[in-house]
Amino acid sequence: LEKGILRNNLLLREVYEAQYLEKEAQYDLLCSQIRPHFLYNALNTISLLVKCGENSDAVTAAEKLSVYLRGIMSSSHNIPLSSELKIIDAYLAFQRIRYRSKLQYHIDINERFLDYSLPALSLQPLVENAVVHGSEEVSSAVCIRIYTVSEQDSWIICVEDDAGGMSAEALEKLRERIACQNDESDENRFARNIGLVNVQKRIRLKYGMPYGIIIESEPGRGTLVMIRFPYIEPESGGNINV
């Protein structure tokens, strides 16, 4: 009996360690995907602003970039929503300088949730997708809204844009790509929408079903990406200085 208990304990420990290592790997992979791409565009934008004599905007852009980079490099694996929003606001403020009137954004968060903890950088890929597939791919102005919704057993943070949206076929493929996280036969499963896939994996590892990403989209009207979280008392010690 004792041997059976020891064997079960060892198995449980191995499963826990495997999940922890996978979570760590996904976090590191997500960070490595964010930094080079964004940093290249950011430095290029600041350089162009200086060359055009728009020194005030160049200084502001550099300050926002500093806040953003300090945030993503200083964050622990779980941070309060308030800290995550500081990173997001710095990112969007920088992109607002870059895209000018083509990009507007509004952050409207229920104060109740500001101290709630979530996996760090959960929102950044959602917001980045809204910017990339909105301001970069649509000629008209795009507005991004970030807000929270309360449910009986969970709370949801939403990232909504009014850009071009997706066709029903494209939406279904994206949903399948995010849902099929354990399909090892798909060698390119991280090649597209890597940020959303990793966010989904990290949330499911931490909270389980039915929590994670939900996507709604309609051609010509925009896209709504939501992350559902359970109600958990705020954790202490997760703040960052940004």
Side-chain angles (χ1 to χ4, degrees), residues 140-183:
S140 59
V142 171
C143 181
I144 297 172
R145 294 179 58 234
I146 302 172
Y147 56 95
T148 47
V149 174
S150 300
E151 293 187 337
Q152 182 176 355
D153 299 319
S154 58
W155 65 282
I156 297 173
I157 187 160
C158 307
V159 178
E160 184 176 13
D161 67 71
D162 58 359
M166 288 179 279
S167 66
E169 181 181 5
L171 177 60
E172 185 61 27
K173 287 182 178 179
L174 178 56
R175 287 170 172 169
E176 291 177 357
R177 200 173 299 142
I178 294 172
C180 298
Q181 300 172 50
N182 297 319
D183 184 4

Side-chain angles (χ1 to χ4, degrees), residues 12-53:
L12 289 173
R13 180 177 178 180
E14 289 175 349
V15 170
Y16 172 81
E17 290 177 347
Q19 291 181 336
Y20 179 82
L21 290 173
E22 182 178 14
K23 181 172 66 175
E24 294 287 295
Q26 297 304 326
Y27 177 86
D28 292 338
L29 183 57
L30 176 58
C31 289
S32 70
Q33 291 294 320
I34 292 171
R35 294 172 186 167
H37 171 75
F38 176 75
L39 187 58
Y40 173 82
N41 288 333
L43 294 176
N44 187 53
T45 296
I46 295 172
S47 175
L48 289 174
L49 289 170
V50 172
K51 290 177 180 178
C52 293

Side-chain angles (χ1 to χ4, degrees), residues 27-96:
Y27 177 86
D28 292 338
L29 183 57
L30 176 58
C31 289
S32 70
Q33 291 294 320
I34 292 171
R35 294 172 186 167
H37 171 75
F38 176 75
L39 187 58
Y40 173 82
N41 288 333
L43 294 176
N44 187 53
T45 296
I46 295 172
S47 175
L48 289 174
L49 289 170
V50 172
K51 290 177 180 178
C52 293
E54 300 182 35
N55 295 329
S56 178
D57 281 347
V59 170
T60 301
E63 291 173 346
K64 295 301 181 182
L65 175 62
S66 175
V67 170
Y68 173 79
L69 292 178
R70 184 166 65 247
I72 65 172
M73 289 187 291
S74 302
S75 60
S76 60
H77 294 298
N78 293 285
I79 62 174
L81 176 59
S82 58
S83 296
E84 177 89 356
L85 290 173
K86 290 179 181 178
I87 298 172
I88 295 302
D89 184 66
Y91 172 83
L92 285 172
F94 180 91
Q95 297 291 34
R96 178 73 175 83

Side-chain angles (χ1 to χ4, degrees), residues 30 84 118-126 199 202-203 227 229:
L30 176 58
E84 177 89 356
L118 70 163
L121 304 182
S122 294
L123 296 182
Q124 201 279 340
L126 280 63
V199 169
R202 291 164 61 214
I203 291 174
I227 306 181
F229 295 98

